[in-house]
Amino acid sequence: MEPVQSTLKKWMRENDNFQENYKKIKSDVLNDPEIKEFLSLHPSITKKEIEKNLIKLYEYKSQSKQCDRCTSLGGCKNMLQGYSPILHVENNEIHLSYEKCHTRIADEKQKQQEKLIRSLYMPKEILDATIDDLIHDDTERNDAIRELIQFIGNAEKGIPRKGIYFYGPFGVGKTYFLGALANKLKEFNISSTLIYMPEFVREIKSSFKDDSINEKIDYFKKADVLMLDDIGAESLSAWFRDEILGSILQYRMMERLPVFFTSNYDLKQLEGQLATTRTGVENVKAGRIIERIKQVSSDVPIYGENRRQ
Ligand code: ADP
Ligand code: MG
């Protein structure tokens, strides 16, 4: 008999503990301010229903609500990372469900926005550039900044049809302007494709090998905002000038899609630069490119000190 008795006693003791635990959990749950508020908003819920759903209520109580107990998404304490519990009532029954928390939503939005800048061969400092840094910093480049701010204002309503052709000496921050703009446009879900001209030429040439050339050209034709950095830095072949650059600009002109450029040359100088290729001097063809550049952008000089150390 002994073993049976002791087993029974043990069971009673544990059951006592169980009863006590249960009571404690129940009182904790029912005294939780948020649960109290929830129940007071739904007076039709019966005691029996509360009793039946004590575990759900306990789960609700134990979870962080909209990040109130977490500092980051990685540090989320909830069973489902990045999800916050909500209680609701249907037909007088208590239901527990989960919704994405603010931090998770913000994180997803940021990841989505990062995808909006397609940049090829751009230094990190350019990709981190911000409009605020530009504005704080000087008066010499006011005109250029004003044009940029105007573009941004228009971009809130949709993609404007004209970009800007920024020209000026080496090191004044022309490329930095493009980076800052691309970062700002992300906020309106406008994507930018930012490419350094000499690399653009290499990229297109290398795509002969894998037959992706048409796909690539199409990509540059259709990008929301195309940014060509340092046009004129390298002399283009007649083929690249007319068949690639010419056709991309032609398409964007017809579709009213903006293009941004940076250059050390003003448009007149660029025209001379584009006219001269290994196959000779072709002023008419260069003039045609300049006409298209004028259709897709307005030219704005940038002056100032050389910021390169
Ligand atoms: P450019 O394209 O006119 O030759 P960059 O845009 O490359 O000049 O700018 C030259 C350097 O100065 C870069 O290192 C850039 O990051 C930095 N720079 C330019 N403008 C700013 C600015 N407003 N605030 C901080 N750094 C800047
Ligand atoms: Mg530059």
Side-chain angles (χ1 to χ4, degrees), residues 126 170-171 173-176 196 229-230 262 264 308:
I126 296 297
F170 181 77
K174 300 182 297 297
T175 304
Y176 195 90
Y196 180 51
D229 187 40
D230 240 342
T262 75
N264 290 346
R308 277 177 216 233

Side-chain angles (χ1 to χ4, degrees), residues 30-295:
L30 296 180
N31 283 313
D32 180 88
E34 283 171 297
I35 291 179
K36 266 182 159 169
E37 193 192 341
F38 169 75
L39 293 176
S40 74
L41 287 172
H42 300 95
S44 59
I45 298 174
T46 59
K47 282 213 164 75
K48 198 171 151 218
E49 178 67 14
I50 296 174
E51 200 80 39
K52 197 174 104 195
N53 288 290
L54 210 57
I55 296 294
K56 267 185 207 164
L57 294 173
Y58 182 74
E59 180 178 324
Y60 177 79
K61 175 178 152 42
S62 69
Q63 299 290 289
S64 160
K65 266 76 122 202
Q66 287 300 351
C67 322
D68 62 354
R69 292 180 229 163
C70 321
T71 49
S72 64
L73 189 56
C76 176
K77 295 183 170 68
N78 286 359
M79 294 193 300
L80 281 167
Q81 251 199 359
Y83 286 84
S84 182
I86 21 176
L87 285 175
H88 48 105
V89 174
E90 253 169 64
N91 302 327
N92 290 329
E93 287 176 358
I94 299 175
H95 293 269
L96 175 67
S97 62
Y98 282 85
E99 63 181 359
K100 285 181 189 173
C101 67
H102 304 322
T103 313
R104 189 185 186 95
I105 291 171
D107 184 78
E108 286 178 0
K109 187 166 173 210
Q110 194 190 347
K111 290 210 172 98
Q112 197 58 36
Q113 289 191 336
E114 269 157 21
K115 283 195 226 143
L116 292 178
I117 300 193
R118 276 264 327 206
S119 75
L120 298 155
Y121 316 101
M122 282 293 147
K124 186 172 177 320
E125 84 226 33
I126 296 297
L127 297 176
D128 290 340
T130 67
I131 293 285
D132 288 344
D133 286 341
L134 276 185
I135 294 171
H136 282 154
D137 142 281
D138 63 276
T139 49
E140 270 176 317
R141 301 175 303 178
N142 265 348
D143 285 350
I145 291 173
R146 201 173 311 118
E147 294 282 339
L148 205 59
I149 302 287
Q150 197 179 345
F151 182 88
I152 291 165
N154 294 335
E156 279 185 70
K157 293 167 237 133
I159 305 173
R161 61 171 287 214
K162 266 195 174 190
I164 303 172
Y165 180 94
F166 286 121
Y167 64 97
F170 181 77
V172 292
K174 300 182 297 297
T175 304
Y176 195 90
F177 266 56
L178 297 186
L181 175 64
N183 275 322
K184 186 70 192 175
L185 293 178
K186 287 195 300 195
E187 290 172 21
F188 315 134
N189 276 325
I190 297 178
S191 71
S192 308
T193 298
L194 177 52
I195 188 160
Y196 180 51
M197 249 336 252
E199 293 295 351
F200 180 33
V201 176
R202 269 182 280 271
E203 183 80 30
I204 293 290
K205 284 189 179 157
S206 73
S207 60
F208 274 128
K209 281 181 243 135
D210 57 9
D211 263 350
S212 61
I213 188 158
N214 288 330
E215 205 181 303
K216 281 202 179 134
I217 292 174
D218 229 44
Y219 180 83
F220 291 106
K221 280 181 176 169
K222 294 176 183 166
D224 285 351
V225 175
L226 178 62
M227 301 177 165
L228 300 178
D229 187 40
D230 240 342
I231 190 168
E234 199 179 62
S235 65
L236 303 177
S237 68
W239 168 78
F240 192 92
R241 178 194 62 201
D242 303 327
E243 304 303 323
I244 308 298
L245 183 61
S247 79
I248 290 172
L249 295 180
Q250 169 79 14
Y251 181 90
R252 297 188 68 89
M253 182 178 98
M254 306 295 285
E255 297 297 318
R256 297 166 172 258
L257 290 167
V259 186
F260 283 78
F261 303 86
T262 75
S263 183
N264 290 346
Y265 302 110
D266 65 23
L267 284 172
K268 197 78 218 142
Q269 291 165 326
L270 183 71
E271 186 168 357
Q273 190 74 10
L274 289 175
T276 317
T277 66
R278 258 179 288 154
T279 42
V281 178
E282 294 171 300
N283 291 318
V284 176
K285 287 188 172 166
R288 203 173 290 151
I289 299 286
I290 297 295
E291 270 320 300
R292 289 177 192 159
I293 292 179
K294 286 181 181 163
Q295 293 287 327

Side-chain angles (χ1 to χ4, degrees), residues 15-33:
N15 202 34
D16 242 20
N17 277 349
F18 172 79
Q19 289 288 349
E20 244 165 60
N21 273 341
Y22 183 80
K23 268 193 220 150
K24 180 163 181 344
I25 287 177
K26 187 173 166 184
S27 124
D28 282 356
V29 164
L30 296 180
N31 283 313
D32 180 88

